[in-house]
Structure formats: C-alpha cells, structure tokens
Amino acid sequence: MALAATFKFAGLGLFQARFETVALGLLVLALTVALGRRLHGEAGGLLAALLLISVRLTALTPSQLTGIVLLDMARIARYDMAATAF
C-alpha cells in the first residue's frame, strides 16, 4: 500500500519504486541503532548498524548482487523492507 501511495503522488517509475524500499531500509537501520544504543550503549548501536550493512549472509544471486541482506533487499522494490520495518 505504501508503494501504491508513492506511485500515486510521485508518478510511476523505477526511482519511485526503489525510493520507498530505500527509505524503509534507512528506517530499519535507524531502528537498529536505537535498539543497540538502548541495550548496549553507543558502541552497541554503532556496531549493530555496521554489522547490518557489512556482513555477507547469503550467496550471490542475480537479485542479490552483494550478499548483504539489507543492501540487496533495499535495492529491489519488494515487500521485504516493509515487513522488516513494521
């Protein structure tokens, strides 16, 4: 539904489709930092964010070019980032 709202207000296009998932990916990253800070202090939040954007967890496929789950899922316009954010 969020993607439909983005298309309604910003028009149709690849940029608009990816904008929503990238924004939700940034929200996931910010929430991870906030939770890490709350549980383990400033260093814990930064370490959690660093691990989230740098650790390769999956094999390379045509749709997962880096193997880093957050980056690959934010790059394609699918529901994965919305499910993670909510």
Side-chain angles (χ1 to χ4, degrees):
M1 290 178 65
L3 189 57
T6 302
F7 286 154
K8 180 155 178 79
F9 294 113
L12 295 175
L14 185 59
F15 176 79
Q16 292 85 344
R18 289 186 175 170
F19 177 78
E20 182 226 353
T21 56
V22 170
L24 288 172
L26 290 174
L27 177 65
V28 167
L29 192 60
L31 291 172
T32 301
V33 169
L35 181 63
R37 279 186 191 161
R38 181 176 235 187
L39 295 176
H40 300 290
E42 186 73 26
L46 294 176
L47 180 63
L50 180 67
L51 290 174
L52 194 60
I53 61 172
S54 65
V55 175
R56 181 179 284 176
L57 296 174
T58 62
L60 303 179
T61 64
S63 64
Q64 295 179 337
L65 300 177
T66 65
I68 301 170
V69 177
L70 182 74
L71 297 179
D72 288 336
M73 290 304 116
R75 186 181 58 79
I76 56 179
R78 286 187 41 166
Y79 58 88
D80 300 324
M81 275 296 118
T84 305
F86 292 117

